[in-house]
Amino acid sequence: MITFDVSGAQNAFLVEGFVGNTKLRYDGSNVYKVTYFPNGIIQMCVFKNYVFAIRSTTIEWSAIRDITSWPTANTQTVTDSTDILRGCIVHGDAIIIFTRRRMFRFMGDTFDPANPTYVLREIQVHPGFDFSFSRTAVSYNGYLFFLLSNGIYFYNGNTIEKATQIIQTDMDNLRILFYQNETVSNTARFYVYKNRLWCSVPDTTSYTSTNQVIYLLDERGK
């Protein structure tokens, strides 16, 4: 879900389902179907007055300040079908894009294909990088936190470091997913509330398949 200013009014937009083929707009009172988004959207974000959407292998964006127009030239190939896109988030002055095995920074001020001033750069990741949980990327205190298959990591703008060495015994119980199988009942979700980072992760020690454990990074960074 994203919010974007349309004709002076804040509207919330939602793509529903794994491939995002149902698109909805909420105007504060009612929900409407919309048809102007591309199909197959995985996630969306707002950046520099554009709406960006990732699909299987590409990132695409609307016309500037106009969510109803998606020019065919407004697209950038990021990956191929062997390692499809998993998530995107605005962090600092870039959009961070995740595949399962890689990370990228998509940067620029004017996203005009006729006069491109934007650039896509790959971020160096460590061997075994495995990003399966698309809803765990979150900015917190200047860092980008996210969940990999063996623990919680953060990106400081230069390098990727592990944040959960002191609870690695717990992290060893993380229920690892194939990316196709991320569902509401077995996914993970990170969010910021009252200056604390809350991390809900699936755990193998449960007697059911829906057990979630909450980890809290408090205001002291502990």
Side-chain angles (χ1 to χ4, degrees):
M1 180 180 289
I2 60 165
T3 58
F4 192 69
D5 187 275
V6 179
S7 301
Q10 286 288 341
N11 290 259
F13 294 88
L14 171 72
V15 291
E16 184 179 34
F18 179 73
V19 293
N21 288 335
T22 299
K23 284 84 65 174
L24 306 170
R25 176 175 69 88
Y26 174 62
D27 67 359
S29 300
N30 299 294
V31 176
Y32 306 90
K33 285 188 176 181
V34 297
T35 59
Y36 38 78
F37 285 5
N39 285 331
I41 292 175
I42 297 170
Q43 279 189 346
M44 298 183 294
C45 62
V46 177
F47 184 62
K48 302 292 179 73
N49 292 311
Y50 301 86
V51 173
F52 289 82
I54 59 169
R55 298 206 285 172
S56 176
T57 60
T58 61
I59 185 168
E60 304 172 17
W61 56 97
S62 69
I64 190 167
R65 299 186 181 90
D66 184 2
I67 201 171
T68 67
S69 175
W70 292 74
T72 56
N74 288 14
T75 183
Q76 170 73 47
T77 298
V78 180
T79 183
D80 59 40
S81 59
T82 64
D83 186 24
I84 65 172
L85 298 181
R86 292 291 299 129
C88 65
I89 184 174
V90 175
H91 177 70
D93 201 36
I95 300 174
I96 305 299
I97 306 172
F98 291 86
T99 74
R100 191 173 183 188
R101 304 299 184 192
R102 296 185 290 172
M103 286 175 62
F104 298 85
R105 296 177 70 200
F106 194 41
M107 302 170 289
D109 292 313
T110 303
F111 291 83
D112 180 4
N115 183 27
T117 62
Y118 52 86
V119 62
L120 179 71
R121 292 179 178 168
E122 188 165 357
I123 298 170
Q124 184 176 358
V125 301
H126 59 266
F129 183 95
D130 188 358
F131 179 80
S132 295
F133 300 96
S134 63
R135 295 188 290 175
T136 62
V138 63
S139 289
Y140 176 65
N141 284 350
Y143 300 99
L144 178 63
F145 284 82
F146 48 90
L147 180 66
L148 298 184
S149 60
N150 66 340
I152 299 170
Y153 288 74
F154 64 91
Y155 172 60
N156 61 17
N158 294 300
T159 60
I160 297 170
E161 301 180 28
K162 196 169 191 178
T164 48
Q165 296 95 329
I166 60 173
I167 56 170
Q168 188 56 47
T169 301
D170 291 341
M171 290 291 98
D172 290 340
N173 291 323
L174 179 66
R175 187 166 65 249
I176 302 171
L177 305 176
F178 294 108
Y179 69 87
Q180 298 97 331
N181 296 333
E182 186 180 14
T183 65
V184 171
S185 64
N186 64 9
T187 189
R189 177 65 189 250
F190 290 6
Y191 54 97
V192 177
Y193 178 66
K194 292 189 176 180
N195 198 34
R196 294 165 173 82
L197 177 63
W198 301 75
C199 307
S200 174
V201 304
D203 184 81
T204 59
T205 60
S206 170
Y207 291 106
T208 70
S209 62
T210 58
N211 188 50
Q212 297 287 317
V213 175
I214 304 293
Y215 294 98
L216 171 65
L217 183 63
D218 66 19
E219 70 280 5
R220 302 167 300 162
K222 301 294 184 180

